[in-house]
């Protein structure tokens, strides 16, 4: 399995003070997130993992957006990130959970080249994470929280997450301003309890907390 090149096209900047404060980042966490940003910036030149323009606002668009999930589930230790892609939110969560006992993040990704990138990041940063190179709907692993960002509309995402949610996981899904419409459509096929939280990174964004999932018969 070939590694992704780590020769960086430019130096990645450190965490801004407001992001450090918002997520209460330690020096070690900030340094590891900066290194992750550098790896992502480098790999993105050939792999198109995220929109290139979003890396100019990496700390808010990616780190704050993903890291805020821990504020909603501070006691959760085991997480599954569906359609992990570039590792958002899974890698960010793994960095922030690294020094907590029994923490583990499952990075679920079916595209081989993305799995290679994720495996490199996990190894280089020594993260409490495992890459699962399979389709999300094939899993029913027990975790505290199942999450996803930019993976699929909610009606389809719940199908991917069904195995985890039926095992007792709580769903925390990062969504944009279309979240209410996605919830309404999903209720045609699914029964679930849903609580909505505003996003710290974007006033238009919402985080959906999903529990009690079952199919509409």
């Amino acid at each position: 399995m070939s590694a992704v090149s780590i020769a960086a096209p430019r130096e990645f900047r450190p965490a801004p003070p407001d992001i450090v404060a918002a997520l209460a980042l330690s020096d070690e966490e900030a340094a590891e997130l900066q290194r992750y940003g550098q790896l992502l910036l480098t790999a993105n030149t050939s792999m198109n993992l995220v929109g290139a323009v979003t890396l100019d606002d990496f700390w808010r668009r990616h780190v704050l957006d993903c890291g805020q999930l821990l504020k909603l589930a501070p006691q959760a230790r085991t997480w599954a990130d569906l359609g992990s892609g570039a590792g958002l939110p899974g890698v960010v969560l793994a960095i922030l959970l690294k020094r907590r006992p029994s923490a583990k993040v499952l990075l679920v990704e079916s595209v081989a080249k993305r799995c290679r990138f994720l495996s490199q990041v996990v190894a280089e940063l020594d993260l409490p994470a495992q890459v699962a190179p399979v389709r999300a709907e094939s899993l029913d692993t027990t975790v505290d929280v199942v999450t996803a960002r930019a993976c699929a509309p909610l009606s389809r995402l719940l199908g991917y997450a069904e195995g985890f949610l039926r095992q007792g996981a709580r769903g925390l899904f990062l969504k944009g301003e279309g979240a209410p419409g996605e919830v309404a459509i999903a209720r045609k096929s699914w029964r679930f309890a849903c609580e909505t939280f505003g996003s710290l990174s974007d006033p238009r964004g919402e985080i959906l907390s999903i529990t009690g999932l079952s199919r509409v018969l």
Side-chain angles (χ1 to χ4, degrees):
M1 182 171 65
S2 61
V4 178
S5 171
I6 60 172
R10 58 181 169 85
E11 189 66 23
F12 204 81
R13 68 184 187 277
D18 61 325
I19 303 298
V20 172
L23 295 177
L25 298 178
S26 68
D27 290 344
E28 293 85 355
E29 289 166 343
E32 288 175 350
L33 287 163
Q34 183 181 3
R35 181 57 182 154
Y36 167 51
Q38 188 77 67
L39 290 168
L40 181 55
L41 175 67
T42 301
N44 207 56
T45 61
S46 60
M47 297 178 66
N48 193 29
L49 292 163
V50 296
V53 69
T54 70
L55 291 175
D56 292 332
D57 197 13
F58 169 79
W59 290 101
R60 181 184 64 84
R61 289 280 297 271
H62 297 308
V63 173
L64 180 58
D65 192 48
C66 298
Q68 67 180 317
L69 294 175
L70 288 179
K71 294 179 176 292
L72 300 180
Q75 302 306 315
R77 291 294 182 268
T78 54
W79 295 68
D81 175 22
L82 308 187
S84 192
L88 300 164
V91 166
V92 172
L93 294 172
I95 291 171
L96 299 182
L97 289 165
K98 182 175 178 178
R99 293 157 186 86
R100 302 189 190 185
S102 304
K104 191 66 174 286
V105 180
L106 186 64
L107 306 172
V108 184
E109 176 54 57
S110 62
V111 178
K113 66 179 181 179
R114 295 172 185 165
C115 289
R116 289 194 292 271
F117 170 73
L118 292 172
S119 295
Q120 180 193 356
V121 172
V122 169
E124 183 154 334
L125 297 180
D126 190 25
L127 298 179
Q130 176 184 351
V131 179
V134 297
R135 294 185 63 83
E137 58 267 39
S138 69
L139 298 173
D140 60 359
T141 304
T142 300
V143 295
D144 297 325
V145 178
V146 58
T147 188
R149 188 181 84 157
C151 178
L154 185 63
S155 56
R156 185 151 33 102
L157 179 56
L158 292 177
Y160 299 159
E162 183 179 11
F164 296 94
L165 293 167
R166 287 187 180 275
Q167 293 284 347
R170 175 188 180 191
L172 286 177
F173 303 123
L174 292 153
K175 290 291 182 180
E177 58 189 341
E182 290 192 34
V183 171
I185 292 172
R187 290 199 184 280
K188 297 177 181 179
S189 303
W190 303 94
R191 295 188 180 91
F192 54 89
C194 179
E195 189 174 2
T196 302
F197 299 90
S199 172
L200 297 179
S201 62
D202 186 341
R204 301 166 298 176
E206 294 186 351
I207 302 169
L208 303 180
S209 175
I210 303 289
T211 55
L213 184 73
S214 64
R215 291 178 180 266
V216 172
L217 301 179

